[in-house]
Amino acid sequence: MGAYEDRADALERAFGPLDGPANPLGREAILAADAAGRTPAGAEEVLDAHRFNAEFVPVELGGALSRMDGLGRVLRPVFRRDASLGFGYGLNCFFAAAPVWIGGSARQRAEVAGHLLEGRRVAVVRHEVAHGNDFVREEFTARPAAGGGFLLDGSKPVIANASRAAGLVVFARTSEGGGGRSHSVLLLDRAGLPEGRLTDLARRSTNGMRGTEFGGLRATGCPVPAGALVGGLGGGYELSLRSSLLIRGLIPSIVLAGADTALRTVARFAVRRRAGGRSPLDVQHVRDVLTGAFLDLLLSDCLALVATRGLHLMPRQTSAYAAAAAYLAPKIIAESMDGMSAVLGEESLAQDGAYAMFAKQLRDLPVTSLGHAGSAGRQVSLLPQLPFFARHVWFTDAEAPAALFRLHGDLPPLDPAGAALLGDGDPLAATLVATDGLLGSADLPGDVPGDRGALGALTRTLVAELGELRTAFAGIGADDRAALVDPRSFALADRYALVLAAAACLGVWREQRSGAGGPAGAFLADPAWPTAALYRLCRRLGLPLPERPAACESRVLAEVLARLHGRRSYDLYGTDLA
């Protein structure tokens, strides 16, 4: 992880302080560029200088991608400032490249790597809308050509980086039938296509991520060589699912990066002194909002950690965690943003000035968090796994390895195609059960302060909730599709995701107690934050609650203020900001 930390720190320093009045890449420049629908002048040049697109290319192809938790780290300095820059410059290229890394030939992988390493863009043309439900759903079709290959027809009105991309990864319908074999993936080099057969459509304006170019493409009898087919004919749906396992674990990192800036903006507002010496922080509700927002960022980062490290450590079990992370983190962060909006009041609408970054982050969040699939799709990928877990896994599985919860440390090599679409175990849920046993015994290493009782009670409550979920899902047959699309099942999947978040928090806390260190090490080893986080989760679930852990929440709020004044990030790492 050291190389990733160094690259993330270097990016942070290169962009300079967000609140620096003389910084040409500071807050005012970002807001002005956003209002104009472009990225800040000079920002892409910074990313060019730091070979940012190499972060999305596997090391064996000449890039820098070796671990997914590290990629999540290096994205944060960019997304803390401008989601349009982070997504439009690079992350969308990773979304496009993922199917090629997983199913492409050696030639295709080298072609995409060449585009990115030489500073060009690659865009993805999906068969369903990926960035909002207000755009018309259209698609491309590819039919066999007389001399071999395909003829591509159709249009899509909204594609990120459509006109800027040198390479296109197109999900096209290749069969008139429905089902999972109706679409295939084609890799196109725009420079090699006949003139006039693939044309750019007008750019679409968006409320969020205004600086990202969302344009369209229309193909008219465009010849595509047979060698453009990625994977097998009809393999588009499976490639999309496998790509999602790589992509979903990154979603929490990018949404929490934006919310990090939002929380810092609100915290700065809350501590300002008014006439008479009072401040908004004197109000209990304001303190609760700041505390809750920070806890939600920590919860999201715990999910990010297990979803990304799980791809390396237990690829056969990480599918559920990737879906839960991508589903839950945007959901709870959006609710935190609503709470913070109320604290800012009319300043939450400011378009310039000290607090205007909040409104930008609020606009960007819905676009950023959807990524390439909506939250319902993530729940749908969770649901088929839960009846199996209920009948065969929960309360019998071995707990997750300690390395899953480490902020640092080596990982096995990444195999982009190695993750299973459906998990055969749930070691994260087993960590919750195991921690309940440890908290109820004298065997937990280290000195646990008096908060151990509250933490133990909350953990027991969540273990009981897992038992309720086991009962509910054990009665659903593996082929009972009607039950799996019942609204009650979606509500149960939501509860399961919250239980997983609790288990991830407990795993991180336990591992930090072993002395892993780092800037946030002392805070993360303290039982105050997991106690406050689990209390928040249990309250959200409507479960029985012990007495409110006010002392723990005060400790969390003190960390919020310490990181504000110490200029450190509001995630698990607590890294120094410019």
Side-chain angles (χ1 to χ4, degrees):
M1 181 69 97
Y4 274 105
E5 290 177 10
D6 291 343
R7 296 203 297 273
D9 289 344
L11 273 174
E12 179 69 26
R13 292 191 302 271
F15 279 112
L18 187 59
D19 55 356
N23 181 7
L25 294 174
R27 179 182 63 223
E28 300 309 320
I30 290 172
L31 291 171
D34 187 66
R38 55 175 174 78
T39 55
E44 291 196 348
E45 287 76 6
V46 170
L47 296 180
D48 286 340
H50 288 261
R51 299 185 72 240
F52 191 62
N53 263 351
E55 301 292 350
F56 309 112
V57 179
V59 290
E60 61 269 23
L61 295 172
L65 177 61
S66 61
R67 49 192 297 167
M68 294 303 294
D69 59 337
L71 179 55
R73 285 287 304 279
V74 84
L75 290 171
R76 297 182 193 193
V78 186
F79 278 87
R80 273 197 293 267
R81 289 165 170 81
D82 188 6
S84 294
L85 177 65
F87 182 79
Y89 182 98
L91 186 58
N92 183 62
C93 293
F94 182 68
F95 287 5
V100 181
W101 301 155
I102 291 168
S105 65
R107 180 194 60 79
Q108 290 169 336
R109 285 159 55 89
E111 178 180 335
V112 172
H115 284 315
L116 296 181
L117 294 175
E118 292 169 22
R120 297 187 292 271
R121 305 286 183 269
V122 181
V124 59
V125 184
R126 294 196 172 273
H127 61 284
E128 60 183 359
V129 171
H131 293 287
N133 57 15
D134 57 331
F135 297 120
V136 177
R137 293 189 176 218
E138 300 181 45
E139 66 176 1
F140 284 89
T141 61
R143 66 184 188 277
F150 304 90
L151 289 177
L152 189 68
D153 288 281
S155 65
K156 283 284 288 185
V158 184
I159 303 164
N161 286 336
S163 68
R164 301 183 71 191
L168 295 170
V169 177
V170 180
F171 286 74
R173 178 176 288 277
T174 50
S175 169
E176 292 303 318
R181 305 295 297 176
S182 60
H183 287 73
S184 304
V185 178
L186 302 173
L187 174 61
L188 310 184
D189 184 347
R190 288 197 71 170
L193 299 177
E195 186 175 353
R197 297 299 183 93
L198 187 68
T199 57
D200 294 310
L201 303 179
R203 178 174 177 175
R204 295 293 189 100
S205 61
T206 56
N207 184 53
M209 287 194 357
R210 296 170 175 174
T212 300
E213 180 224 310
F214 289 105
L217 289 171
R218 174 177 288 116
T220 307
C222 182
V224 176
L229 183 66
V230 179
L233 191 67
Y237 183 59
E238 182 177 348
L239 276 175
S240 179
L241 291 176
R242 291 196 175 280
S243 299
S244 73
L245 297 179
L246 288 180
I247 293 166
R248 285 173 171 170
L250 298 175
I251 299 299
S253 285
I254 63 177
V255 298
L256 73 84
D260 182 307
T261 296
L263 174 56
R264 183 165 295 98
T265 303
V266 178
R268 191 168 60 249
F269 173 87
V271 300
R272 69 175 185 171
R273 292 290 171 185
R274 297 174 176 171
R278 294 183 61 81
S279 74
L281 198 62
D282 295 328
V283 179
Q284 181 63 49
H285 175 69
V286 173
R287 297 196 294 272
D288 290 345
V289 168
L290 295 180
T291 302
F294 183 36
L295 289 170
D296 286 344
L297 291 182
L298 295 176
L299 284 165
S300 298
D301 210 1
C302 289
L303 286 169
L305 195 71
V306 300
T308 52
R309 291 180 70 85
L311 285 168
H312 297 259
L313 291 164
M314 43 187 203
R316 293 186 58 82
Q317 292 86 36
T318 200
S319 169
Y321 309 150
Y327 162 71
L328 188 59
K331 182 181 177 71
I332 62 176
I333 285 175
E335 293 179 10
S336 287
M337 295 287 282
D338 288 343
M340 289 190 282
S341 294
V343 170
L344 279 180
E346 64 182 13
E347 292 286 5
S348 68
L349 304 175
Q351 298 302 301
D352 53 41
Y355 307 113
M357 281 297 290
F358 182 87
K360 172 175 166 47
Q361 299 296 349
L362 189 62
R363 288 192 303 271
D364 289 347
L365 177 63
V367 187
T368 308
S369 62
L370 284 175
H372 73 292
S375 60
R378 294 156 190 167
Q379 282 183 296
V380 166
S381 65
L382 264 179
L383 279 168
Q385 306 186 60
L386 302 185
F388 174 83
F389 291 168
R391 287 192 293 271
H392 304 291
V393 171
W394 288 335
F395 296 95
T396 61
D397 215 358
E399 66 176 305
L404 184 68
F405 307 107
R406 290 177 187 151
L407 306 188
H408 310 280
D410 294 336
L411 287 171
L414 174 68
D415 177 6
L421 293 177
L422 297 176
D424 61 4
D426 191 353
L428 186 53
T431 295
L432 174 69
V433 177
T435 305
D436 178 40
L438 286 172
L439 288 169
S441 71
D443 297 330
L444 189 65
D447 176 41
V448 180
D451 296 319
R452 174 172 175 169
L455 185 58
L458 291 163
T459 304
R460 284 194 299 277
T461 298
L462 287 159
V463 170
E465 173 67 13
L466 182 64
E468 294 292 329
L469 290 170
R470 177 174 62 174
T471 300
F473 280 109
I476 298 177
D479 298 323
D480 189 348
R481 296 186 178 182
L484 288 176
V485 298
D486 189 291
R488 290 170 294 185
S489 295
F490 279 79
L492 291 171
D494 181 86
R495 300 181 75 85
Y496 169 71
L498 292 166
V499 170
L500 281 187
C505 285
L506 289 169
V508 170
W509 170 69
R510 282 175 53 187
E511 185 58 24
Q512 287 298 305
R513 287 175 53 76
S514 68
F523 171 72
L524 294 179
D526 190 324
W529 76 272
T531 301
L534 265 61
Y535 185 89
R536 188 169 177 81
L537 290 169
C538 286
R539 186 175 61 192
R540 187 185 185 102
L541 285 161
L543 299 175
L545 295 171
E547 182 179 351
R548 182 173 179 174
C552 296
E553 292 174 350
S554 295
R555 172 73 181 90
V556 174
L557 179 60
E559 183 73 7
V560 172
L561 300 179
R563 294 194 187 194
L564 172 68
H565 298 305
R567 302 183 70 86
R568 291 188 291 124
S569 62
Y570 286 124
D571 55 12
L572 289 174
Y573 303 92
T575 52
D576 292 333
L577 303 179

